[in-house]
Amino acid sequence: MANPEMDRANELPNEQEVVRRAAAGDKDAFGVLYRAYAPRIYAVVYGLLMNRDEALDVTQVAFLRAWRALPRFQLGRPVFPWLYAIARNRSFSRMASNKASSQAVELQERHGSASDGHDRMVELRHDLGSAMAKLSLEQREIIVFRHFQSLSYKEIALVIGCPVGTVMSRLHNTRKALRVLMMDWEDDT
Amino acid sequence: MRCHEVGELLSALLDGELSSSEEQDLLRHVQVCPVCSQEFRDLQRLEDMMSKVCLPDLPDAAWEEHWSCLYNKLERRIGYLFAGIGITLLLIYGFFELLHMWFLNPAVSLLLKMSIGILGVGLIILCISTSREKLLSRRYDRYKELVR
Ligand SMILES: [Zn+2]
């Protein structure tokens, strides 16, 4: 708890103990890690690849690799950034080899958000999803972490392995790009 | 503060990532500069849109199903490992048996020994060559994945 900034990137309360057991070959402990982090890894990978089946496959492959690499994992480090780095590498190489990906990110209405009416919401989900698909992988990644996982700049920097300044400028540039892509939408509000 | 210094700080302001003194400096400028205040409003509008949507999730039951699938794969890996060790040991044993019973046996003709020997050498070369190729392509793959 020395660094509360890192808590969301490091959500499991007794994470290090669970990792130690998993590294020693305890599959149930590995299951605890899987249940804690697989949905988050999947969500980000889906945001990158825009394809549910591919995202699930990459998530599973990443966890298989993690299981193999766990005995070499440096205890004391947070697990999510490490797991995500494995999934990220898979996603980037898959995206490079597979150009025929989807044309839009499938978005859902967030529970509890102020509703604009059904048709308007469907339109917003569609337009934002298509706009996101036009961004680069790095841009989609940073949007997903900031907007859909609510990570701080420090946490994003830790997870994607770059300086905080890079996070700030990449996020700002991405928002500017999205704003341009959503220009028509903004005009008719 | 000048306009050209504002840029990405507007995003940081929106995300609550500035210190209170940085925030005050920036707000002082934004309040009097129409260009930067318009830019900030645009960012807020985008933030507002983004806050209404989220990424699709899977139900808990689906995660349980995927975990059991993964669990089976992990278990099978151990099976493959043991089977691999067993097969290797058997092959080594067989090799020495063959050497003992066959190659050192003067009753077996030299021609047969030679043909079997040459076949063995050929198979070993093929084995080494294919595994080296696999290893190299894997290393290349890893290198490619490391590029950010
Ligand atoms: Zn200005």
Side-chain angles (χ1 to χ4, degrees):
Chain A
M1 290 297 123
N3 191 351
E5 286 279 342
M6 295 300 165
D7 282 356
R8 261 169 306 163
N10 187 2
E11 251 168 18
L12 213 58
N14 51 347
E15 185 179 272
Q16 293 304 316
E17 173 57 21
V18 178
V19 172
R20 200 189 52 71
R21 277 169 43 214
D26 181 344
K27 286 196 277 295
D28 293 325
F30 190 63
V32 174
L33 289 179
Y34 184 82
R35 287 183 187 93
Y37 296 122
R40 282 180 63 196
I41 298 276
Y42 166 78
V44 186
V45 171
Y46 172 75
L48 295 180
L49 299 178
M50 303 181 286
N51 179 310
R52 288 175 186 235
D53 294 339
E54 289 258 300
L56 258 181
D57 192 45
V58 166
T59 306
Q60 201 165 74
V61 170
F63 273 87
L64 271 173
R65 285 197 166 196
W67 171 253
R68 249 178 292 162
L70 256 178
R72 296 187 301 277
F73 179 77
Q74 221 181 313
L75 282 172
R77 290 173 56 202
V79 177
F80 180 76
W82 177 71
L83 282 172
Y84 178 64
I86 302 173
R88 185 185 203 257
N89 283 339
R90 295 301 305 170
S91 306
F92 275 60
S93 56
R94 219 172 264 200
M95 204 60 185
S97 62
N98 172 27
K99 291 282 160 204
S101 78
S102 169
Q103 295 303 299
V105 179
E106 202 182 301
L107 296 169
Q108 289 178 345
E109 183 173 359
R110 187 173 288 184
H111 293 297
S113 73
S115 191
D116 290 348
H118 180 70
D119 292 350
R120 190 89 180 131
M121 197 61 217
V122 170
E123 212 181 320
L124 176 69
R125 278 163 43 201
H126 172 266
D127 289 2
L128 258 184
S130 312
M132 277 184 70
K134 295 193 178 92
L135 300 173
S136 72
L137 274 187
E138 280 94 348
Q139 289 179 322
R140 275 208 297 281
E141 177 182 49
I142 208 150
I143 285 287
V144 169
F145 276 127
R146 177 64 212 136
H147 285 279
F148 301 131
Q149 305 224 332
S150 306
L151 260 57
S152 71
Y153 288 7
K154 231 180 195 167
E155 288 166 334
I156 298 172
L158 178 82
V159 166
I160 66 179
C162 70
V164 174
T166 309
V167 171
M168 183 152 82
S169 55
R170 192 181 293 169
L171 187 59
H172 187 63
N173 290 334
T174 304
R175 280 172 170 159
K176 283 208 290 197
L178 257 184
R179 228 176 56 201
V180 171
L181 289 164
M182 293 297 288
M183 197 93 89
D184 292 340
W185 179 271
E186 289 181 62
D187 282 344
D188 58 42
T189 44
Chain B
M1 187 173 269
R2 304 271 167 85
C3 287
H4 71 268
E5 294 170 299
V6 173
E8 61 206 36
L9 291 179
L10 285 178
S11 265
L13 176 68
L14 196 72
D15 295 322
E17 293 273 349
L18 295 180
S19 68
S20 58
S21 67
E22 284 172 318
E23 202 173 299
Q24 276 167 13
D25 274 356
L26 185 60
L27 282 174
R28 249 198 307 273
H29 174 82
V30 170
Q31 274 155 9
V32 296
C33 172
V35 178
C36 291
S37 73
Q38 180 59 47
E39 172 129 7
F40 189 57
R41 272 199 301 278
D42 287 347
L43 282 175
Q44 278 177 316
R45 215 174 295 160
L46 182 70
E47 175 77 17
D48 184 49
M49 282 192 260
M50 296 297 288
S51 71
K52 289 177 181 153
V53 295
C54 63
L55 287 172
D57 200 4
L58 292 177
D60 286 349
W63 285 115
E64 282 310 311
E65 200 186 308
H66 283 289
W67 166 245
S68 52
C69 173
L70 187 66
Y71 188 94
N72 290 337
K73 280 187 184 165
L74 299 182
E75 218 166 40
R76 246 171 266 155
R77 273 184 56 80
I78 297 171
Y80 286 133
L81 188 74
F82 278 112
I85 293 172
I87 288 170
T88 314
L89 287 176
L90 268 179
L91 280 176
I92 292 170
Y93 177 78
F95 174 73
F96 280 108
E97 276 295 292
L98 202 72
L99 199 73
H100 189 70
M101 283 167 56
W102 245 58
F103 284 88
L104 303 179
N105 186 352
V108 179
S109 86
L110 189 68
L111 187 67
L112 192 60
K113 280 181 190 172
M114 268 172 67
S115 12
I116 297 281
I118 289 168
L119 179 73
V121 170
L123 285 178
I124 289 171
I125 291 172
L126 282 177
C127 241
I128 291 174
S129 169
T130 32
S131 44
R132 193 182 51 200
E133 191 187 354
K134 276 213 168 137
L135 212 74
L136 278 178
S137 67
R138 205 161 154 192
R139 204 176 290 161
Y140 170 72
D141 186 34
R142 265 191 205 156
Y143 171 75
K144 201 171 71 179
E145 282 177 18
L146 279 174
V147 176
R148 287 222 156 132

